[in-house]
Amino acid sequence: MLDVPTWEGHLAGQHVDVRLTAEDGYQAQRSYSIASAPQDRSVTLTVDRLDDGEVSPYLVDVLQPGDALELRGPIGRYFVWEESLGGPLALIAGGSGVVPFRSMLRHHAAIGSAVPVRLLYSARSLPEVIFHEELVRLGAREAVDVRVALSRAWPDDWNGHRGRIDREYLREAAWPASSGPLVYVCGPTSFVEAVADALIDLGHDTDRIRTERFGATGSGLPAPSASQGGT
Amino acid sequence: MTSASRGFFGRRRPSVDPARLPPGQYWTDDFPVLSAGPTPRTPIEDWSFTVRGGAAGTVTWTWEELGTLPTETFTVDIHCVTKWSKLDTTWTAISLDVLLERAAAEDAFVTAWSDGGYTTNVPLEDLIGGRAWLALAYDGEPLEPEHGGPARLLIPHLYFWKSAKWVRGLELRTDDEPGFWEGYGYHNYGDPWREQRYAGD
Amino acid sequence: MEALDGNAIAGQLMEVFGGEMTTVTGRCAGCRRTWQMAELEVHTHAPGTVGRCRDCGVVLMVLVTARGVTCVHLPGLVDLGMPTAP
Ligand SMILES: Cc1cc2nc3c(=O)[nH]c(=O)nc-3n(C[C@H](O)[C@H](O)[C@H](O)COP(=O)(O)OP(=O)(O)OC[C@H]3O[C@@H](n4cnc5c(N)ncnc54)[C@H](O)[C@@H]3O)c2cc1C
Ligand SMILES: [Zn+2]
């Protein structure tokens, strides 16, 4: 959670650039989506720690309350949802790609929007699901449907989807292409590309699909296959 | 002004013998992958290496034919213009002396071209005399596609962008034609010891 | 390295152009397809930042920062269009 003295306010889905500087002047910069809604009182980032990463382990392990952090933002108007854009809305996340959608769902709740939303969120296992309780709570709202898919391991009594978010699951769980949904896809590059390909294959309008790639996240999140049938 | 971030050191670790690092460089233990485009994957049956513009005309080697040429295995330091240096890297490679001699190279300038459209320019004299190679293996293993395989140039005395990945040929020219990064503001020659990063350095 | 997209360089573009750029449109000189900047295939693990057409691979944009100044090259981008303010 960040206390930003000159925050000008943001839109749901935007990100910030975080820059770190070592004593000798060496710098590293990365982008992090804003997890909080525009209506929230503070700005929250949520960082997935990559063991062999340069910046994320610092943010998770070393940075402490009270430390200063150099930020640039809010940034980006493309991967943003505002009520005027309407719906129905499909939000499809892989791993930490759920972060901007948490902002969108909190915003949707804060303004009491009736735009139908469905979140499909792929994580490897239950402990890796970020914001789980909160997402369940948000998903209890009338217009909102939250579905978590576990791709690698699941509890015996798991009644959500088991396996990847592949073409078949998208056909069944995302809004049908014929309803003209507005679709946002976010996560590791390989995840985003496979989901986008599958959506296009299912007849979704490319102009209604917005994507944001986080790069290689090293998490080995399995990419869904665009062309394979059901499992 | 930017103040330092408490406890941040970056991926770098305590430095090695500073005499081995050109000015402005940091030591790294990783082998970072740099690329201006997707990794090309040309099937080895369709792959060939060409030198054109020499007195011998256009000379082309298939992968199989290259395999009959003598290779050398040696250890050098490499320096990337993005400021990392990697020490003691071991390569197995064909000396460009062998290939350029076969092509009867005479002109003063060379443009290397790669799958994916990448190009870089180097003076011919920097490619001969045992200072430049066509590398086929790194650390005893065939060169991985992400590191430029099946074959990349290796010109360790220049910044590493000159060591073109996925290289497919050399064009001998009478005039010096800037390559991809050279055309976008990087130094035409790129000597790390004189810190020739950008045009004008 | 896995490529990113134009969202990842939104901050850099904002600094260089002085405004929000991800929704600016441009046409690929190679295949004539129109893209929003956020949709480009972006490579940042390189001496500069390279933006390519996601369909035909042509280099549309190259950003190189030398001595604190960023130079923008648009070798394959035509018909830039600014969205009207929302
Ligand atoms: C718009 C946007 C929003 C984002 N939002 C979030 C968010 O909300 N939460 C979040 O956790 N992340 C987010 N990310 C991802 C984030 O920016 C970082 O990429 C992530 O935290 C990893 O950074 P790192 O420094 O820890 O890892 P890095 O050091 O960048 O390494 C990442 C991976 O790539 C490998 N690698 C790095 N460099 C090279 C190289 N040269 N060659 C080969 N392999 C290499 C590493 O080994 C590692 O596996 C976002 C990214 C973007 C573009
Ligand atoms: Zn194109």
Side-chain angles (χ1 to χ4, degrees):
Chain A
M1 211 171 323
L2 304 167
D3 176 22
V4 189
T6 57
W7 194 246
E8 59 196 72
H10 68 278
L11 302 170
Q14 288 191 301
H15 65 272
V16 296
D17 287 349
V18 173
R19 186 158 74 177
L20 303 178
T21 304
E23 288 288 348
D24 63 357
Y26 174 84
Q27 293 189 322
Q29 184 184 296
R30 299 289 185 276
S31 300
Y32 292 96
S33 301
I34 301 166
S36 44
Q39 291 76 13
D40 291 337
R41 239 171 283 126
S42 60
V43 178
T44 308
L45 306 183
T46 302
V47 179
D48 185 21
R49 182 188 188 285
L50 301 191
D51 289 341
D52 64 344
E54 181 166 43
V55 171
S56 61
Y58 174 85
L59 295 175
V60 173
D61 301 340
V62 183
L63 191 73
Q64 289 182 1
D67 283 348
L69 200 59
E70 191 183 347
L71 292 187
R72 171 171 67 189
I75 299 165
R77 288 227 53 147
Y78 168 85
F79 205 73
V80 154
W81 182 76
E82 294 170 282
E83 195 177 35
S84 58
L85 292 169
L89 195 57
L91 311 176
I92 305 173
S96 54
V98 74
V99 175
F101 299 151
R102 190 237 194 190
S103 174
M104 292 181 194
L105 288 175
R106 284 177 72 91
H107 174 60
H108 185 276
I111 61 175
S113 174
V115 171
V117 196
R118 197 168 284 179
L119 170 71
L120 308 182
Y121 172 18
S122 171
R124 286 187 301 190
S125 65
L126 201 50
E128 289 182 53
V129 176
I130 315 172
F131 314 123
H132 197 195
E133 279 172 31
E134 180 181 0
L135 291 174
V136 169
R137 227 172 27 246
L138 287 162
R141 292 182 55 237
E142 167 103 27
V144 183
D145 180 0
V146 168
R147 304 187 186 191
V148 177
L150 299 179
S151 61
R152 285 218 189 141
W154 41 81
D156 288 339
D157 61 347
W158 180 249
N159 55 17
H161 181 64
R162 305 173 178 200
R164 300 166 175 190
I165 295 188
D166 59 9
R167 187 175 176 281
E168 284 319 298
Y169 182 64
L170 287 169
R171 183 208 294 284
E172 162 199 324
W175 306 102
S178 57
S179 65
L182 183 56
V183 189
Y184 291 72
V185 188
C186 187
T189 297
S190 54
F191 174 88
V192 170
E193 294 193 346
V195 168
D197 287 350
L199 289 168
I200 291 164
D201 207 46
L202 290 170
H204 287 259
D205 180 358
T206 51
D207 289 342
R208 302 274 294 166
I209 303 173
R210 299 186 185 196
T211 51
E212 183 163 274
R213 292 161 184 79
F214 281 7
T217 60
S219 69
L221 193 83
S225 152
S227 51
Q228 273 167 23
T231 40
Chain B
M1 255 336 283
T2 303
S3 57
S5 320
R6 186 191 57 79
F8 177 68
F9 304 102
R11 211 193 289 283
R12 309 151 304 135
R13 253 147 292 164
S15 204
V16 288
D17 178 6
R20 292 181 69 182
L21 290 179
Q25 294 294 106
Y26 300 99
W27 176 79
T28 180
D29 194 23
D30 302 328
F31 194 165
V33 174
L34 272 76
S35 172
T39 300
R41 291 173 198 272
T42 303
I44 210 72
E45 316 84 77
D46 301 337
W47 189 95
S48 61
F49 188 80
T50 298
V51 180
R52 62 175 183 236
T58 297
V59 187
T60 297
W61 293 264
T62 62
W63 180 254
E64 217 166 49
E65 288 163 348
L66 271 187
T68 66
L69 299 179
T71 59
E72 305 166 20
T73 296
F74 51 90
T75 299
V76 291
D77 300 345
I78 55 179
H79 310 292
C80 179
V81 73
T82 60
K83 299 201 166 178
W84 55 264
S85 288
K86 188 169 173 60
L87 307 185
D88 301 324
T89 60
T90 301
W91 302 84
T92 300
I94 299 166
S95 171
L96 288 189
D97 287 307
V98 174
L99 302 173
L100 290 166
E101 196 176 284
R102 199 74 67 84
E106 286 168 351
D107 287 320
F109 301 102
V110 179
T111 292
W113 81 87
S114 299
D115 276 331
Y118 183 77
T119 58
T120 186
N121 58 312
V122 188
L124 177 61
E125 61 175 7
D126 284 83
L127 298 185
I128 56 182
R131 294 201 290 167
W133 292 267
L134 183 65
L136 309 177
Y138 171 73
D139 232 354
E141 302 289 336
L143 201 53
E144 286 174 38
E146 61 171 11
H147 285 301
R152 74 179 300 163
L153 286 189
L154 179 62
I155 317 172
H157 70 284
L158 300 178
Y159 279 125
F160 214 44
W161 90 76
K162 297 282 187 180
S163 295
K165 292 159 79 159
W166 311 303
V167 67
R168 290 292 301 274
L170 302 176
E171 181 182 10
L172 300 155
R173 311 171 55 99
T174 50
D175 60 326
D176 193 9
E177 168 81 8
F180 185 83
W181 290 117
E182 296 84 357
Y184 291 124
Y186 277 87
H187 197 277
N188 198 52
Y189 183 65
D191 178 352
W193 294 97
R194 286 187 279 163
E195 206 170 357
Q196 294 173 334
R197 296 181 199 275
Y198 307 107
D201 280 348
Chain C
M1 273 314 288
E2 288 191 49
L4 295 166
D5 57 39
N7 297 298
I9 55 165
Q12 190 185 4
L13 292 174
M14 189 165 77
E15 207 147 87
V16 174
F17 289 93
E20 159 58 32
M21 291 295 290
T22 54
T23 53
V24 168
T25 57
R27 190 191 288 273
C28 169
C31 69
R32 313 301 295 171
R33 182 164 168 179
T34 295
W35 300 100
Q36 297 188 53
M37 293 301 125
E39 297 169 330
L40 302 187
E41 175 186 306
V42 169
H43 299 265
T44 55
H45 290 275
T49 298
V50 178
R52 290 176 180 265
C53 173
R54 207 166 269 288
D55 272 0
C56 76
V58 155
V59 175
L60 302 181
M61 178 190 326
V62 179
L63 306 177
V64 169
T65 304
R67 305 177 202 95
V69 177
T70 300
C71 263
V72 181
H73 307 265
L74 303 174
L77 211 50
V78 294
D79 299 344
L80 284 183
M82 306 286 166
T84 42

